Amino acid sequence: MMLPVKPHELFAHRVAEAYVLHLVSINRRPVYRYSSGDIEVDRTFLMTLLDGYLADRRDESWRFRFYLRLLDDSNTKDARVVFSGGRIPKLSKRGIRYMNAFIHEFGDMLVDIGGRDEEGMMTMPKSEDEHLSI
């Protein structure tokens, strides 16, 4: 049995998918170029991070409208296309700026409270007690 998907979750997923496709189009892989190294992302991570962050601050209807504004709603047609089986989501300029800033802030948070493992990868703190002892 499939549970119904709420509109804000669907559009958060579309924003996350559009951002991954944007990153791949400019970097050839789904990474955000952060000052201390690349941050690799996928749709599930981005959707969870984005909606989890905003869920504490805004209600579902506000988030739905916000995600909708981040997506590009233009319907420009490509003259070379003879049949369209669907369109990939695309971020608006505002959406690209917001998601870049959002992931940059996440990177700043990792630098501030996270650590690095033996391979040099940034990590999340293991527990709140560990963060408080720093």
Side-chain angles (χ1 to χ4, degrees):
M1 182 174 114
M2 290 185 57
L3 297 174
V5 177
K6 296 180 180 178
H8 76 279
E9 292 173 342
L10 175 67
F11 281 91
H13 188 273
R14 296 285 286 176
V15 167
E17 182 178 11
Y19 189 62
V20 167
L21 292 170
H22 167 74
L23 291 174
V24 168
S25 74
I26 60 173
N27 298 322
R28 293 185 174 200
R29 51 195 195 112
V31 294
Y32 174 78
R33 304 281 187 201
Y34 186 68
S35 57
S36 61
D38 293 349
I39 298 175
E40 188 173 34
V41 297
D42 71 358
R43 290 180 304 201
T44 306
F45 169 76
L46 288 172
M47 189 269 189
T48 306
L49 186 67
L50 179 63
D51 202 47
Y53 174 76
L54 291 173
D56 294 339
R57 292 157 178 78
R58 303 292 183 163
D59 65 7
E60 291 178 3
S61 64
W62 185 93
R63 293 188 317 240
F64 165 72
R65 291 188 309 274
F66 179 71
Y67 300 146
L68 201 56
R69 285 193 306 265
L70 296 181
L71 292 168
D72 184 10
D73 63 351
S74 67
N75 287 324
T76 56
K77 294 185 179 190
D78 185 349
R80 299 170 293 184
V81 174
V82 295
F83 174 77
S84 176
R87 296 191 149 220
I88 62 169
K90 186 177 176 187
L91 291 175
S92 64
K93 289 180 182 179
R94 176 186 182 169
I96 292 168
R97 283 192 312 268
Y98 179 83
M99 291 302 294
N100 283 339
F102 186 68
I103 299 303
H104 188 85
E105 287 295 319
F106 177 75
D108 289 347
M109 181 200 66
L110 283 178
V111 168
D112 289 344
I113 66 170
R116 293 205 179 248
D117 64 12
E118 51 279 347
E119 295 175 357
M121 298 273 297
M122 290 192 288
T123 60
M124 296 290 288
K126 292 178 182 58
S127 69
E128 283 193 34
D129 296 333
E130 182 180 311
H131 170 56
L132 294 176
S133 64
I134 294 176

